[in-house]
Amino acid sequence: MMIQILNDDFKTLQQQVTKRQQQTANKPEIEAAVADILAAVRERGDAAVKEYEAKFDQVELDDLKVPQATIDAAYEACEPKLLDALKLAKRNITSYHEKEITHGFIDAEQPGVIRGQKVLPLAAVGLYVPGGTAAYPSTILMSAIPAKLAGVDQVVMVTPPQPKGINPAVLTAAKLAGVDAIYQVGGAQAIAALAYGTEQIPQVDKIMGPGNIFVATAKKQVFGQVDIDMIAGPSEIGIIADAGAEPDQVAADLLSQAEHDRLARPMLVTDSQALATKVAAAIEKRLQTLPREEIARASVDDQGFIAVVANLDQAFTLMNQIAPEHLEIQLPEPMTYLNQIRNAGSVFLGREASEPLGDYVAGPNHILPTAGSARFFSPLGVEAFVKRTQFVQYTKDALSNEKDAITTLARVEGLEGHARAIESRFED
Amino acid sequence: MMIQILNDDFKTLQQQVTKRQQQTANKPEIEAAVADILAAVRERGDAAVKEYEAKFDQVELDDLKVPQATIDAAYEACEPKLLDALKLAKRNITSYHEKEITHGFIDAEQPGVIRGQKVLPLAAVGLYVPGGTAAYPSTILMSAIPAKLAGVDQVVMVTPPQPKGINPAVLTAAKLAGVDAIYQVGGAQAIAALAYGTEQIPQVDKIMGPGNIFVATAKKQVFGQVDIDMIAGPSEIGIIADAGAEPDQVAADLLSQAEHDRLARPMLVTDSQALATKVAAAIEKRLQTLPREEIARASVDDQGFIAVVANLDQAFTLMNQIAPEHLEIQLPEPMTYLNQIRNAGSVFLGREASEPLGDYVAGPNHILPTAGSARFFSPLGVEAFVKRTQFVQYTKDALSNEKDAITTLARVEGLEGHARAIESRFED
């Protein structure tokens, strides 16, 4: 792994890391094909959905919904060890995200004036779960549990039909997480069904989850009709460590993200040249026995770096500029550095807080802002599944007190009709 | 205004109202011209910004920043009546949005486990304010005050240079709202400067505010590099009223939104045929003396409607399907209907709560979700200017308790490197 000795100027490294992928316009053929699918499902509902499933997935289904008996059977047949792990994850995800629940307020502090805000759940949410090996049970828990805590009445899942049926671990996680219905539909036709509603599939207010280029294009095209989630980029891990960190553990944590994707970015920033050298060696050693060695090696070689800086302040400055998705603080008394962290999705404090802890069971979400967007985006949470509504009520006296201010501002802005609406309350 | 008598089936009306504008792809020439401007400003900074200002606005400026003395002079020269109105608005906007401030949490309920969440302000935010008559002082208050309450350190404004200098009411509102700097730059070059930073203009984390097609296209192209706000559609007002409502006031309120835009949508839903007839007549009468009659008439004739329904439950059902930006409840004891409102941006309860009250001084925000997006979007508020960061710390015993669950889930998902990272804590 490349070791860089940095002086005060982090600009080159920071620019290299945060350089965004050029926004490549989608191929017009894909945009057009997706637009056709959306229009067909919008007009003809399930008939169109079934045609596309026959065409793209070679499956003919009358009932799109997975029967409850199938879900229950998968749950009953689940290996106890896996079920226990999912239950532990559910318990911790629930107890963490419960603390994110917010409430509205009412303000009756001014005479004759009531102002307030209601926090309301979205009525329905759709989760897209890809087929095959990209269907992660843990991600179903991470999406559906906060949605249910927010009070979403209908959490529905769509996933492409599989030759041997939907992955039982996915069905088990969905049942545990409280998913209300699962439909065997994939691709752009699934996104269309969720956006517009069909005879069998309910219209939702927000569509979550990753998918292929057709799914991503369809989500983009229905945005506005429904809300969609942010698009996650390749995984990133940043580790700040000093000479006291355990090189082998640091290496293992860097590789845990490198194995996700050739474009994943493992980053170590340290004030210790000795640690840098040892971690580089430990990475090489661990790579040799890693099942996903090829992917992880590409990530380490092409995307990763070890930066040696003069002191820990510089390490935090650099990491805040990079704004990593995951940030490990492998330092003594790690909590004392919390105030130096400005930009990071999820922070892991201390030797035992290995990043995969957060991927599975700790409770904080694992759906996180990538590509430097932790500067302005947040981890997925309850907030993503609610919306706020304002309200206000005035007595005539209260309105009278503010009447001149309103009409003055309306007329300065050239909106006479606004002024007259207020004045209509004081006519005759 | 068209009066429709509705039976139980609202579907036709609801579809007509919520039908989105077809997403028309931007002209490729505009996309390309904007991409060129973004690239030039990214590479050459202020030199490029100044070239575009000379080319598009025929202005040659060395200092892009409006001098503090100019802002102070505008403030000092502000008519006292206008200044008082702006101050009242500021006071009420502040006292309302203060109640939206959220805090993080720390959870130390499980032995050996600390979990928490920090709420951090965005570091810098940019407000785009259009030139000419579309520069609304009230909108500056509505954007900048919540940003400052969130704790945003740098709230900067960009606005196209004007032949007679920036509108003094805009400068006054910016000073009152706590805007930290104002730059005389408009168009795509202003968006580029905010997204990438230049010698004079700081890079921001989020760009807010409306603009022409070049501004909107530039915002779309820099999204991801920075966050952007939602794109607001034409204004909408929905009013639910019964036979006891005052027809002339209802008409005046409908027209206050109709005067915004030919595409604005004024909607009345009532259980009283008599009220419907009287409101239609009052609208016609008021239209005849309205300065912006032509715009308002187009809105009323082409976009507006009065629907007569069998009872108030139906009125709420229909309005929840439409999800209007503004909703007036012109009914006795209006607060008792609050629980029936599921989808609306801002709600005005009772006879005195005329919509323009909320545009200017009541305190709730006037930047609101349009086009049915109140189903899933919220009014602008403090939440839009913060992001959350998760953190977790485990003792070795706590990790040991959850080790098997983590490694089981990691291996089910085919991520051996994740399992090994956890196991590295228990080797040696």
Side-chain angles (χ1 to χ4, degrees):
Chain A
M1 200 173 194
M2 181 183 60
I3 301 179
Q4 304 190 20
I5 312 297
L6 296 186
N7 56 21
D8 278 3
D9 178 21
F10 308 146
K11 201 158 173 83
T12 310
L13 180 61
Q14 185 246 326
Q15 284 180 340
Q16 173 192 326
V17 169
T18 58
K19 191 176 175 189
R20 296 300 175 287
Q21 307 271 340
Q22 287 298 322
Q23 281 204 341
T24 49
N26 281 331
K27 290 190 178 132
E29 333 54 289
I30 293 180
E31 292 281 356
V34 167
D36 285 348
I37 295 170
L38 297 186
V41 173
R42 187 171 196 165
E43 276 164 39
R44 297 190 294 112
D46 285 332
V49 169
K50 290 175 191 174
E51 284 167 23
Y52 289 116
E53 282 302 325
K55 183 172 170 190
F56 297 132
D57 290 326
Q58 291 79 48
V59 174
E60 310 238 351
L61 289 168
D62 261 348
D63 264 347
L64 299 172
K65 194 171 172 177
V66 178
Q68 190 59 42
T70 306
I71 300 168
D72 292 343
Y75 186 92
E76 296 304 327
C78 184
E79 208 192 331
K81 201 173 149 187
L82 174 57
L83 189 59
D84 284 348
L86 289 168
K87 283 183 177 172
L88 173 67
K90 178 187 173 180
R91 211 156 52 232
N92 286 348
I93 295 166
T94 302
S95 64
Y96 181 84
H97 284 285
E98 273 173 354
K99 297 184 178 59
E100 294 182 327
I101 295 171
T102 55
H103 300 281
F105 59 83
I106 190 151
D107 164 5
E109 287 164 26
Q110 296 178 55
V113 174
I114 299 173
R115 306 184 300 178
Q117 195 167 99
K118 280 174 77 173
V119 176
L120 285 162
L122 308 191
V125 167
L127 309 180
Y128 190 92
V129 176
T133 56
Y136 290 146
S138 59
T139 300
I140 296 168
L141 301 185
M142 292 288 180
S143 328
I145 292 172
K148 278 296 173 186
L149 286 173
V152 175
D153 186 46
Q154 288 214 76
V155 177
V156 305
M157 200 175 106
V158 291
T159 191
Q162 301 294 312
K164 296 180 182 172
I166 314 282
N167 175 354
V170 163
L171 296 178
T172 302
K175 181 179 164 88
L176 255 183
V179 169
D180 295 288
I182 304 172
Y183 300 94
Q184 299 184 71
V185 187
Q189 62 273 24
I191 303 302
L194 292 171
Y196 307 121
T198 66
E199 297 86 337
Q200 290 191 37
I201 300 175
Q203 185 188 37
V204 301
D205 299 310
K206 185 166 187 166
I207 300 175
M208 317 278 305
N212 64 20
I213 183 70
F214 288 91
V215 171
T217 303
K219 280 171 66 180
K220 212 182 65 185
Q221 288 190 12
V222 299
F223 179 61
Q225 169 71 34
V226 296
D227 192 14
I228 61 172
D229 59 353
M230 59 186 168
I231 291 139
S235 189
E236 302 152 357
I237 182 168
I239 302 182
I240 295 177
D242 66 6
E246 181 54 56
D248 190 53
Q249 294 172 11
V250 171
D253 291 359
L254 290 168
L255 288 176
S256 78
Q257 297 310 295
E259 76 171 346
H260 268 298
D261 190 330
R262 302 172 72 91
L263 294 175
R265 195 185 295 274
M267 300 171 277
L268 169 62
V269 182
T270 177
D271 60 353
S272 163
Q273 170 74 57
L275 182 82
T277 308
K278 286 182 211 159
V279 169
I283 285 175
E284 181 51 39
K285 189 170 166 212
R286 283 189 165 268
L287 268 174
Q288 289 170 17
T289 65
L290 198 65
R292 295 165 71 94
E293 177 190 354
E294 196 208 322
I295 292 169
R297 191 177 289 280
S299 158
V300 165
D301 287 349
D302 302 338
Q303 308 296 331
F305 67 82
I306 298 175
V308 179
V309 293
N311 54 55
L312 291 177
D313 280 350
Q314 290 191 355
F316 282 97
T317 300
L318 177 57
M319 277 300 182
N320 282 328
Q321 288 173 359
I322 290 171
E325 181 189 18
H326 306 98
L327 175 62
E328 286 189 9
I329 308 298
Q330 296 286 349
L331 300 171
E333 299 199 59
M335 190 68 77
T336 59
Y337 297 94
L338 205 50
N339 76 322
Q340 294 199 50
I341 300 166
R342 307 299 303 175
N343 301 320
S346 205
V347 180
F348 299 81
L349 297 166
R351 184 164 297 194
E352 316 311 332
S354 172
E355 192 280 340
L357 167 65
D359 284 338
Y360 294 115
V361 304
N365 216 283
H366 79 198
I367 301 169
L368 299 168
T370 58
S373 66
R375 270 169 51 220
F376 40 82
F377 286 149
S378 302
L380 184 68
V382 169
E383 174 68 27
F385 299 105
V386 301
K387 36 77 182 260
R388 289 167 283 119
T389 294
Q390 309 172 150
F391 58 90
V392 63
Q393 181 170 358
Y394 268 53
T395 61
K396 193 160 182 177
D397 278 353
L399 185 64
S400 178
N401 290 337
E402 302 188 351
K403 169 174 169 279
D404 286 351
I406 303 170
T407 55
T408 297
L409 288 165
R411 287 180 173 126
V412 162
E413 297 189 352
L415 297 170
E416 177 65 22
H418 284 57
R420 290 186 188 174
I422 299 297
E423 287 169 347
S424 75
R425 268 65 182 180
F426 300 92
E427 282 159 10
D428 65 8
Chain B
M1 199 172 194
M2 180 184 62
I3 301 180
Q4 305 190 21
I5 312 297
L6 296 187
N7 55 21
D8 278 2
D9 178 21
F10 308 146
K11 201 155 174 84
T12 309
L13 180 61
Q14 184 245 327
Q15 284 181 340
Q16 173 192 325
V17 170
T18 58
K19 191 175 175 190
R20 296 302 174 287
Q21 307 271 339
Q22 288 297 321
Q23 282 203 343
T24 49
N26 281 330
K27 288 187 178 136
E29 339 45 296
I30 293 180
E31 292 280 357
V34 166
D36 286 347
I37 295 171
L38 297 185
V41 173
R42 186 172 196 166
E43 277 164 37
R44 298 191 293 112
D46 285 333
V49 168
K50 290 174 190 175
E51 283 168 25
Y52 289 116
E53 282 303 325
K55 184 173 169 188
F56 296 131
D57 290 326
Q58 291 79 45
V59 174
E60 309 236 352
L61 289 168
D62 260 348
D63 265 347
L64 300 172
K65 193 172 172 176
V66 178
Q68 190 59 43
T70 306
I71 300 167
D72 292 342
Y75 186 93
E76 296 304 327
C78 184
E79 207 194 331
K81 200 172 149 188
L82 174 57
L83 190 59
D84 284 347
L86 289 168
K87 283 182 178 174
L88 173 67
K90 178 187 173 179
R91 212 156 51 233
N92 286 349
I93 295 167
T94 302
S95 63
Y96 182 83
H97 285 285
E98 272 172 355
K99 296 183 180 61
E100 295 183 325
I101 295 172
T102 54
H103 300 281
F105 59 84
I106 191 152
D107 164 6
E109 288 165 26
Q110 296 177 53
V113 175
I114 299 173
R115 305 184 300 178
Q117 196 167 98
K118 279 175 75 173
V119 177
L120 284 162
L122 307 191
V125 167
L127 309 180
Y128 190 92
V129 176
T133 55
Y136 291 145
S138 59
T139 300
I140 296 168
L141 301 185
M142 292 287 180
S143 328
I145 292 172
K148 278 295 176 188
L149 286 173
V152 175
D153 185 48
Q154 288 214 76
V155 177
V156 305
M157 200 175 107
V158 291
T159 189
Q162 301 293 313
K164 296 179 182 173
I166 314 281
N167 175 353
V170 163
L171 296 178
T172 301
K175 183 181 163 88
L176 254 183
V179 169
D180 295 288
I182 305 172
Y183 300 94
Q184 299 183 71
V185 186
Q189 61 272 24
I191 302 302
L194 292 171
Y196 306 122
T198 66
E199 297 85 337
Q200 291 190 37
I201 301 174
Q203 184 187 39
V204 302
D205 299 309
K206 185 165 187 167
I207 300 175
M208 316 278 307
N212 64 20
I213 182 70
F214 288 92
V215 170
T217 303
K219 280 171 67 181
K220 211 182 65 183
Q221 288 190 13
V222 300
F223 179 61
Q225 170 71 35
V226 297
D227 193 16
I228 60 172
D229 59 352
M230 60 187 168
I231 292 139
S235 189
E236 303 152 357
I237 182 168
I239 302 182
I240 296 178
D242 67 5
E246 181 52 59
D248 190 53
Q249 295 172 10
V250 171
D253 291 358
L254 290 168
L255 288 176
S256 77
Q257 296 312 294
E259 76 171 345
H260 268 299
D261 191 330
R262 302 172 71 93
L263 294 174
R265 195 185 294 274
M267 302 171 275
L268 169 63
V269 182
T270 178
D271 60 353
S272 162
Q273 169 74 58
L275 182 82
T277 308
K278 286 182 212 159
V279 170
I283 285 175
E284 181 52 40
K285 188 167 168 217
R286 282 188 166 267
L287 268 174
Q288 289 169 16
T289 65
L290 198 65
R292 294 165 72 93
E293 177 189 356
E294 196 208 322
I295 292 169
R297 190 177 288 280
S299 158
V300 165
D301 287 348
D302 302 337
Q303 308 296 330
F305 66 82
I306 297 175
V308 179
V309 291
N311 55 54
L312 291 177
D313 280 349
Q314 289 191 355
F316 282 97
T317 300
L318 177 58
M319 277 299 183
N320 282 328
Q321 288 173 358
I322 290 170
E325 181 189 18
H326 306 98
L327 175 62
E328 286 189 8
I329 308 298
Q330 297 285 349
L331 300 171
E333 300 198 61
M335 190 67 78
T336 59
Y337 296 94
L338 204 50
N339 76 321
Q340 292 199 51
I341 300 166
R342 307 299 303 177
N343 302 321
S346 206
V347 180
F348 299 81
L349 297 165
R351 183 165 298 195
E352 316 311 332
S354 172
E355 191 281 339
L357 167 65
D359 284 338
Y360 294 116
V361 305
N365 216 284
H366 79 198
I367 301 171
L368 298 168
T370 57
S373 66
R375 268 169 52 220
F376 39 82
F377 285 150
S378 302
L380 184 68
V382 170
E383 175 67 26
F385 300 106
V386 300
K387 37 77 182 257
R388 290 167 282 119
T389 294
Q390 311 173 149
F391 58 90
V392 63
Q393 182 171 356
Y394 267 54
T395 61
K396 193 160 180 178
D397 278 353
L399 185 63
S400 179
N401 289 337
E402 302 189 350
K403 170 174 167 278
D404 286 352
I406 302 170
T407 55
T408 297
L409 288 164
R411 288 183 172 123
V412 162
E413 296 188 352
L415 298 170
E416 177 66 22
H418 284 57
R420 291 187 188 175
I422 299 298
E423 287 168 347
S424 75
R425 269 62 182 181
F426 301 91
E427 282 159 11
D428 71 4

